Amino acid sequence: ILWLHRFNVTPDQVGGLLGTFVDVSDIREAEARARASEQRLIDTNDRLPGVIVRITVQAGGRIVYDYVAGQTQALFGRSRSVLLRSGRRLHAVAAGEPDPEEKAAGQDEHDPVLAAINRIVASGTRHEVEFSVRVKGQMRWTRASSGTPRHEADDSVVWCIYFADITDEKQQAQALVGATDAARPAGA
């Protein structure tokens, strides 16, 4: 960065130039490395078969979603940017519901994604929850696995939760139970 400033000895006479030069090459290179590292992380997370969500549970209990990555379209039927940009809670957007803050009193508040997140948060430690959710008209099974929560100085708690579609796994288990039940009378 080059900065020059002209100064006058008298109002009509230029006295000279005062200048400074600052080499910001190291700063720009560090910024480029940070952007490249961030892009690698995004690329890696986008290739995972599930969805990573980072939530912050504020001291008052409000849940804030501040990072979403992965196969959001497949698991929740929405893009990552829509989930973050919407200003609505993730679980409502994923379920295609109106903003829960706008729900009329007395309406059904049951939401399996929020219930899973609440169970994870209530556990206070690493936790895993399986639940079913309707996505684009189909019933899907999802497993939410959390990491160890991190307590912040402002009394908030940060959680990273990995959501994975386990519908095929559940269907295979049901098929195995059905086949076992069908085989019992034949063997008797």
Side-chain angles (χ1 to χ4, degrees), residues 74-151:
L75 196 61
F76 297 125
R78 300 284 192 277
S79 71
R80 174 181 63 237
S81 60
V82 167
L83 293 173
L84 287 172
R85 187 179 62 237
S86 70
R88 294 161 44 184
R89 290 188 273 176
L90 171 66
H91 60 275
V93 176
E97 298 175 359
D99 188 331
E101 302 297 331
E102 297 174 2
K103 282 188 175 183
Q107 280 188 316
D108 182 17
E109 295 280 340
H110 176 71
D111 183 315
V113 180
L114 180 60
I117 290 171
N118 285 338
R119 283 191 299 246
I120 287 171
V121 170
S123 75
T125 186
R126 295 175 65 99
H127 199 69
E128 191 170 277
V129 177
E130 293 181 359
F131 58 94
S132 61
V133 63
R134 187 166 299 281
V135 177
K136 294 185 177 181
Q138 293 185 327
M139 190 59 72
R140 308 294 296 173
W141 279 93
T142 303
R143 180 180 294 129
S145 304
S146 74
T148 303
R150 187 178 74 237
H151 296 268

Side-chain angles (χ1 to χ4, degrees), residues 52-66:
I52 297 172
V53 176
R54 180 184 132 130
I55 65 170
T56 301
V57 181
Q58 296 174 341
R62 183 169 181 254
I63 296 174
V64 177
Y65 300 87
D66 51 7

